[in-house]
Amino acid sequence: MPASLQEVKRRIDSTKKTRQITSAMQMVSTAKLSQIQKHATSYQVYATKIRSVITHLAKSHLLDSKNFGTTNANDSKLNTLGMLRQRPVKTTGIVVITSDRGLVGSYNSNVIKQTLQLIEDNNRTPDDVAIIAIGGTGADFFKKRGFNVAYEYRGVSDIPTYKDARPLVEAIVTMFDSEVYDELYVCYSHFVNSLTSEFRAEKMLPIAAENMGYDDLAEQADSNYSIQYETEPSEDAILEVILPQYAESLVYGAILDAKTSEHASSSTAMKAASDNAKDLIASLELQYNRARQSAITTEITEITGAQAALE
């Protein structure tokens, strides 16, 4: 077999093996996507409810910071009620959720690109931004470009659990109380469907009524009706419980949504790679058959010519 035919044959075999790998990865990503969608659907019920509660508290003005006076660094309730504190913005914190690995198409690049655009739109420089990176890709990217990566979390499971969000929320709120940043955005890729995702940037801290859209239930309430609550044992005690749950729901919801989008992007990317490999194999096989036919024709011509010479 001529050297050129051997090279084409090796490329065909190599591409077939690559296609087997990408096809297997596509099936794995599709299975993970199916599993995480079930979790996301059930969690959405809780997230909607906790958001409805916070919305009603906002409309009743229980979230107004003026209701709580001032706190100091020794106040044991700082980590909770501190989430309501409004102060001049010197540093902006940004939670960036990316993947730990590649092979997810444009998933990571879209999130990073839009996050950089958010920083530019807010007239921020690397010195004015504190990055909280969830996922190794985002952490490595911003470190290389001179941003302050105040916290990074790698190794998020393929199907994140609610417990994954708790240490993140504690670290995020502690840094907010310590004035590492004065406001916080959560940036991630929102899952729309298996083929489409969109970038989202939600303001998480400080918690305020203007940072959230009132849900349908709240919008249906009479605008002239003032929602009031009688609290037991106290407003502070209620907020001590509800505010951490709301913060955890935001972070966990964003992680769950981003992971869903990641699996969808991975499945789509691997399907595209498998389809491209299939097309390449067909092209190489056509090239191989033509070269082989040409070689056979040349051999027959040489044999015929030799026979004619002998006669």
Side-chain angles (χ1 to χ4, degrees):
M1 184 181 295
S4 58
L5 284 177
Q6 289 180 347
E7 178 63 26
V8 174
K9 182 66 174 176
R10 280 195 294 268
R11 288 189 63 189
I12 291 174
D13 293 339
S14 175
T15 305
K16 285 182 177 180
K17 292 178 181 178
T18 300
R19 186 188 175 197
Q20 289 177 344
I21 294 172
T22 56
S23 296
M25 293 178 68
Q26 179 192 349
M27 289 188 291
V28 170
S29 295
T30 301
K32 290 179 180 178
L33 176 61
S34 178
Q35 292 178 20
I36 200 170
Q37 280 184 296
K38 295 178 182 178
H39 284 264
T41 300
S42 60
Y43 174 75
Q44 190 60 38
V45 177
Y46 168 79
T48 301
K49 188 63 178 178
I50 193 70
R51 186 179 181 87
S52 175
V53 171
I54 290 292
T55 297
H56 281 83
L57 292 178
K59 294 200 73 174
S60 65
H61 304 291
L62 284 180
L63 299 186
D64 292 350
S65 58
K66 64 183 179 181
N67 290 340
F68 304 99
T70 59
T71 59
N72 55 64
N74 297 321
D75 192 340
S76 62
K77 292 183 286 188
L78 184 62
N79 279 350
T80 297
L81 301 187
M83 289 189 282
L84 301 170
R85 303 296 167 189
Q86 302 277 349
R87 57 176 180 256
V89 178
K90 298 178 182 178
T91 303
T92 298
I94 299 179
V95 178
V96 184
I97 305 177
T98 58
S99 69
D100 287 308
R101 55 184 181 272
L103 302 178
V104 289
S106 60
Y107 170 78
N108 290 317
S109 60
N110 286 342
V111 173
I112 292 173
K113 179 180 178 181
Q114 293 295 332
T115 301
L116 291 174
Q117 186 63 48
L118 174 67
I119 294 172
E120 182 180 342
D121 292 343
N122 287 344
N123 297 318
R124 295 293 173 184
T125 65
D127 296 331
D128 302 327
V129 175
I131 299 294
I132 296 90
I134 302 177
T137 302
D140 295 339
F141 176 88
F142 286 102
K143 280 181 179 178
K144 290 180 181 178
R145 282 153 184 81
F147 284 85
N148 171 29
V149 179
Y151 185 89
E152 61 179 282
Y153 183 86
R154 299 173 185 254
V156 178
S157 61
D158 291 326
I159 312 295
T161 63
Y162 194 76
K163 291 189 294 185
D164 294 337
R166 290 181 178 174
L168 288 171
V169 173
E170 290 177 1
I172 286 170
V173 174
T174 299
M175 285 189 286
F176 180 72
D177 290 333
S178 303
E179 299 188 9
V180 175
Y181 42 78
D182 305 298
E183 63 177 357
L184 181 69
Y185 289 88
V186 181
C187 300
Y188 63 97
S189 178
H190 166 62
F191 174 79
V192 178
N193 55 52
S194 58
L195 298 177
T196 307
S197 61
E198 61 183 23
F199 176 78
R200 278 192 177 178
E202 299 177 348
K203 191 169 184 179
M204 176 180 170
L205 295 174
I207 296 175
E210 59 269 20
N211 294 340
M212 62 184 75
Y214 291 132
D215 61 13
D216 294 338
L217 182 61
E219 290 290 352
Q220 291 171 5
D222 187 353
S223 60
N224 296 323
Y225 177 71
S226 177
I227 301 176
Q228 296 181 352
Y229 287 92
E230 292 183 2
T231 58
E232 178 67 30
S234 67
E235 294 178 355
D236 287 11
I238 291 174
L239 292 176
E240 284 284 341
V241 175
I242 199 68
L243 290 181
Q245 291 184 11
Y246 177 65
E248 288 171 3
S249 72
L250 281 179
V251 175
Y252 177 65
I255 293 174
L256 196 62
D257 198 355
K259 269 294 179 181
T260 305
S261 179
E262 178 186 335
H263 293 322
S265 296
S266 177
S267 177
T268 301
M270 292 302 99
K271 183 180 185 304
S274 298
D275 292 343
N276 290 337
K278 180 180 178 181
D279 293 340
L280 180 58
I281 290 170
S283 176
L284 288 173
E285 285 180 341
L286 179 61
Q287 179 182 345
Y288 176 81
N289 291 333
R290 285 177 175 175
R292 186 167 177 270
Q293 183 179 12
S294 176
I296 293 173
T297 302
T298 301
E299 290 178 1
I300 292 175
T301 302
E302 289 175 353
I303 294 173
T304 304
Q307 183 179 2
L310 290 175
E311 293 176 354

